[in-house]
Amino acid sequence: MGGDIGPRITIPASLIALEKDPMLSLLLFGDSQQILPLLENTPYPIKERLTICHCSRTINNEHGISYALRHSKGTSMRLAIEAVQKGDAQGCLSGGNTAALMGLSKILLQPLQGIQRPALISVIPTVEGEKSVMLDLGANIDCDAENLYQFALMGAIFAENILNLVYPRVALLNIGSEDIKGHKSIRDAASLLEKDTALNYVGFIEGNFLLNGKADVIVSDGFAGNVALKTLEGAAKNVISLLKGKSKNSLLKPVFSWLLTHIFKDSYLRLKRINPDEYNGASLIGLTSVVVKSHGSANIEAFSYAIADAAFQVRQQIPNKILVGLEKYQ
Amino acid sequence: MGGDIGPRITIPASLIALEKDPMLSLLLFGDSQQILPLLENTPYPIKERLTICHCSRTINNEHGISYALRHSKGTSMRLAIEAVQKGDAQGCLSGGNTAALMGLSKILLQPLQGIQRPALISVIPTVEGEKSVMLDLGANIDCDAENLYQFALMGAIFAENILNLVYPRVALLNIGSEDIKGHKSIRDAASLLEKDTALNYVGFIEGNFLLNGKADVIVSDGFAGNVALKTLEGAAKNVISLLKGKSKNSLLKPVFSWLLTHIFKDSYLRLKRINPDEYNGASLIGLTSVVVKSHGSANIEAFSYAIADAAFQVRQQIPNKILVGLEKYQ
């Protein structure tokens, strides 16, 4: 288990998540020789809610995704998903390869009835301190109008339940606001969404308005969505590190931190809302169980947010609400 | 003429550009009744280098792009491009519809010999204070591998001449760094670029590294490129306005400005480099003449940067250098 860096990130993150959430239990799939030393000083009440499921194999992606899936038996990712399939766990979190996680989840956990393509969804912040959701973020590279329409439906249900919104505003990511812009699939999806009065479709949204709260649900194909989300994250991280950490005059750093947190608290708190660590967890929706994907390069804090996100979705029974919601909408 | 807002932006911007560049002359295509009042207090040495070419028609895009092109005679955009075609002007700048500007430029100014698809290119900043170029930013929605390969060639030549780089590093925008990721067109373009030793191809780049100076030339199709660039611009604008302007405590604003500019000068200067106003001009490359596209929503400062950018490209003879460069590479 463990994304790009492995147990050195995921184990401390697990301990933080367990400490913050006293009702949480975790099954850890990975190499116990790597995991155990990292648990040495863990107090018993935390350790008690941790189960190590030893496995030494990981998904190997170098021969392509279909090879990886065919040879996935006994890998940490597959065993974790199988634990959900068997009912040993209620949800799965992985920092591994997205395509492999998607492929295995679709095979083992099945898409919900009527869903053509499960999608990757994430909560993103707005500058006004609200939240939006965005999908697909990389699970489906090429999408037709019907796929985009289903993403809009799932996204609306997710936003209703996770963001607690009524009649969330749905927009399609495009490169202009005029009807004639963009791929045909997007224009056709717009027609489908306009016809569906159960959905609050508000039109096209461009990349520069993603953080401005103009829509609660932002829908796109997985390629453009992934590019947009990563670009947002990169821009936010760069600006924060320029302001906080990278000043050449290191004596001023504590002064700057103090000013940011005390005098300019309001601006800083707003800026902190765009800290991508808090928005690390992306979810595969449209499946029968909760599956959350962390960035492979997530740090400890970000990975612990993703664990908490998975637990929240399990408690909110998101897959079931999507199933019920789909029947209501269609 | 004039993008979304019109002469109230473009005329003051033109005056700033003329003031800064004593060798610049401008032809202004638009409604003289709107333009003249804005020039009332302009001193003679500036006014002398301004020619108003009156026209009342503008490109109307509501019936689709092909209708707009067929009915473009006598519009400000077409007349401006025709002035370049006739040799009355050496380059054209427009804040109007991108597809119309592209369509008219291709018809009237012609693509350079051997170029399948002219593309929209822009300079973007890096956090280290360097610059990269990125293309295509919206001129070509769907691109095959050969198109992407040509964008890489044109981008490399543009970067050599505008950024003064030797053997610029070329990367393809993708949603992962592994070979198996992304659209087939991107993977095929990667194969073409790997084979061409005249180009310094460095692999895939993801959205979160666009500002990190990992590549000098970032290549993508026009849809993903447009989404990425607008997302970058939106994120930068949001963070800057959160920090500078939107603090609820207005008494602190001058203090904050002072601190930013004096004590945290280094960080602030780096942050200012990501001010999208300075990077407003995008260029259509692959044509026989210089055509620059400003954002429709550009402010006065941003529009004046775009004018200066067009003048610089004319003086650098970019179209000719691309033509010579293409022969050298291929």
Side-chain angles (χ1 to χ4, degrees), chain B residues 245-297:
Chain B
K246 297 271 176 66
S247 175
K248 275 179 191 154
N249 190 338
S250 61
L251 275 176
L252 285 175
K253 263 201 246 175
V255 185
F256 196 21
S257 288
W258 184 86
L259 282 168
L260 275 177
T261 45
H262 289 81
I263 302 189
F264 305 113
K265 212 166 130 189
D266 185 59
S267 289
Y268 185 62
L269 286 179
R270 282 158 182 256
L271 185 57
K272 267 201 79 169
R273 287 199 196 101
I274 318 180
N275 181 348
D277 288 351
E278 291 183 38
Y279 295 87
N280 173 41
S283 308
L284 286 175
I285 56 164
L287 295 172
T288 55
S289 301
V290 171
V291 178
V292 174
K293 164 76 175 77
S294 160
H295 267 298
S297 60

Side-chain angles (χ1 to χ4, degrees), chain A residues 12 38 59 76 78 85 103 105 116 126 130 132 146 148 165 173 187 189 196 199 202 204 255 257 261 275 325:
Chain A
L38 295 162
I59 284 280
S76 54
R78 186 176 181 122
Q85 187 189 28
S105 299
Q116 298 159 347
T126 76
E130 306 293 325
S132 305
E146 179 67 25
L148 294 172
L165 296 174
L173 180 63
R187 287 178 274 132
D196 188 341
L199 281 172
V202 295
F204 295 143
V255 185
S257 288
T261 45
N275 182 347

Side-chain angles (χ1 to χ4, degrees), chain B residues 80-237:
Chain B
I81 300 170
E82 284 173 349
V84 178
Q85 187 188 28
K86 288 179 206 156
D88 296 342
Q90 275 67 58
C92 168
L93 169 68
S94 169
N97 180 275
T98 307
L101 185 65
M102 189 76 195
L104 287 173
S105 299
K106 275 165 88 170
I107 297 165
L108 299 169
L109 302 179
Q110 301 284 321
L112 289 166
Q113 177 132 29
I115 291 293
Q116 299 159 347
R117 305 256 202 115
L120 206 55
I121 189 168
S122 186
V123 175
I124 62 169
T126 76
V127 284
E128 298 303 327
E130 305 293 324
K131 289 172 178 179
S132 304
V133 300
M134 191 167 163
L135 76 167
D136 176 31
L137 300 174
N140 306 283
I141 299 303
D142 294 302
C143 297
D144 63 20
E146 179 67 26
N147 299 147
L148 294 172
Y149 173 73
Q150 283 207 343
F151 296 166
L153 277 173
M154 291 196 289
I157 296 162
F158 191 87
E160 279 175 6
N161 288 286
I162 295 288
L163 306 183
N164 204 20
L165 296 174
V166 177
Y167 208 44
R169 296 159 302 160
V170 177
L172 288 165
L173 180 63
N174 203 342
I175 62 169
S177 49
E178 305 91 338
D179 285 350
I180 54 146
K181 288 269 176 131
H183 296 293
K184 187 172 181 300
S185 57
I186 298 173
R187 287 179 274 132
D188 291 348
S191 306
L192 292 173
L193 289 167
E194 272 160 11
K195 277 181 216 146
D196 188 341
T197 51
L199 281 172
N200 186 6
Y201 174 65
V202 295
F204 295 143
I205 190 167
E206 295 180 74
N208 43 338
F209 292 115
L210 293 179
L211 298 180
N212 291 53
K214 288 185 180 288
D216 304 305
V217 181
I218 298 158
V219 176
S220 83
D221 68 71
F223 190 87
N226 186 287
V227 165
L229 185 75
K230 283 190 181 149
T231 301
L232 267 187
E233 288 172 349
K237 276 217 162 160

